[in-house]
Amino acid sequence: MIYSLIILMFGLMILGFICSDQNILAPSVITSGVWLICLSLFLLLRHNLPQYSSQFVNCLSIWAIGITLSSLLLQSTSFKVMNSHASMTMRDIYLLISILTFPLLLLWAYNALRSGVTDSWTMNLRMTAIGRGVDKDMYDPIYLLIWEVSYGIELMYFEKKKWWRCALPALFFLSYAFFTMSKTYILSFFVFTVTFLLFKHKIKVWHLILGVVGVLVLFVLMQSLRESYEMDNSDKNDFLVLYLLSSMSAFDTLQPHSAVHWGENVFRVFYAIFYKLGLSDVEPINTILPFIHHPIVTNTYTGMYPFFVDFGYWGIGVFAWIVGCFYGFLFRAVQLGSKYALLLYAYFAHIILMQYVGDMFFTNIAGVIKFALIALLPFLVEKYQLLYK
């Protein structure tokens, strides 16, 4: 069955590539491409994982076809977009906020290193970052979103004479990834940057390939630092199996319609709001999902998890079309010249890519909305001249 999936993903990728003016950043191409790579690695890497069941094959087929067709449908439309530039005043304000808030990260890292949770300084940083140290966790602080927006806008309007405007928020963003020992944020920074550069035709595909190789090497080095040992070839193979294949195998352990409350995963944000306001006794589910130990130790179940657990096969089909339409609309807005859409799509490109691991859209919808609003403000200020006489 895996061979039929590989053929399907290859066909969807070619279809998306042709229908998107040969743009590899199209949501249909990213979706089918990342699944094609993971499925191919399932055949190439050494592992003891069982063959995928009909449940995974059917769900992934529904998911990939839904996203591909819906995104291509929206890409074929034409509509009016906001073509305003980002306000220079707001760019200055965001850059200033970035500079002033960077010491907060340094202070947090200092306290994390002093925590003494483990004998490893890297593990002290990581354990504190996920809330298991003496200091508060570092889950998406608001200033990180400002750094990312500032970096994206400065990258969009990059000038060689003012290179530091782009370099500073980039340094802050990367520092956050390093201090929290987060491979996810390294990948997020890479995808965010590459999306801008590819849309602006500043790099070619072979640059992208070299970049991917470099990121993989960096991931191995970070993992070695976190685990305090040098990884041999077997360790590197197991590392790839864990981070690229485990989620797909874990999906086969799920049961459809197994959520305790209706839509508790997809609509978690509403459960959280109602619970916090005292309007409901139902606590929102933990965003850190429970671990399983068979067939592999993991707590990630692919991006199809919330829809399948909450609503079964129909959930996957319906929400594949919903997110596909949204990504297709955003991609089309970029093609039509919207700079705000480009900033948003660069942010969502990482979410689209990481669907093989887990859902980062609905699970983190509050963060998504915050980013969208922070990114929108400079364009609204310029469009309506809010800070000018």
Side-chain angles (χ1 to χ4, degrees), residues 46 220 224 229-239:
R46 301 187 309 274
V220 171
S224 297
Y229 73 92
E230 185 176 352
M231 299 173 68
D232 56 23
N233 289 334
S234 178
D235 294 326
K236 294 173 183 177
N237 180 86
D238 294 341
F239 172 81

Side-chain angles (χ1 to χ4, degrees), residues 38 45 49 80 96 109 114 122 142 182 229 269 274 278 296 340 359 364 368:
C38 291
L45 295 176
L49 299 174
K80 186 177 180 180
L96 179 60
R114 294 183 57 198
T122 55
I142 189 68
S182 174
Y229 73 92
V269 64
F274 293 152
I296 191 171
Y340 174 61
D359 168 61
N364 188 37
V368 170

